[in-house]
Amino acid sequence: MRTSHKLLLRFFYDKNFDFSKVLVGYIDRGTPGDISYASGDEICNLDSNYFEVISKNTTKPIPYHRLLIISYGGIIIWEREVP
């Protein structure tokens, strides 16, 4: 199984995919339900340890271990395994 990071890299760099169709859900403490979502259009960088989301006039780093779900075109592609 692919890691969430490798999957996002594939969607980002593979010309067969439209990164704007990606939606990620991640743990975001302090928000309602402690979950936020970002579309591919809001993700501006894929670092080795985190991805960056455009937030107002700045960017917000989100570590990959906070990812809960990745969907593409409305179809869930990856979901965090719950032990």
Side-chain angles (χ1 to χ4, degrees):
M1 171 171 265
R2 283 183 190 231
T3 65
S4 57
H5 178 226
K6 288 183 181 180
L7 187 58
L8 287 174
L9 286 171
R10 173 88 187 267
F11 287 139
F12 189 79
Y13 288 108
D14 190 329
K15 299 300 179 195
N16 293 313
F17 296 102
D18 178 356
F19 198 64
S20 69
K21 293 182 179 182
V22 170
L23 182 69
V24 297
Y26 57 92
I27 297 169
D28 191 8
R29 292 177 189 90
T31 61
D34 290 334
I35 299 174
S36 288
Y37 294 89
S39 69
D41 290 336
E42 298 170 304
I43 298 171
C44 61
N45 184 32
L46 298 172
D47 190 78
S48 59
N49 298 312
Y50 59 89
F51 61 99
E52 288 183 290
V53 175
I54 299 168
S55 176
K56 297 180 185 172
N57 295 328
T58 186
T59 59
K60 180 178 177 181
I62 309 295
Y64 292 109
H65 70 267
R66 287 194 185 173
L67 272 175
L68 298 172
I69 194 166
I70 299 172
S71 68
Y72 183 82
I75 299 169
I76 296 172
I77 304 299
W78 179 90
E79 197 168 8
R80 176 185 270 183
E81 291 182 21
V82 180

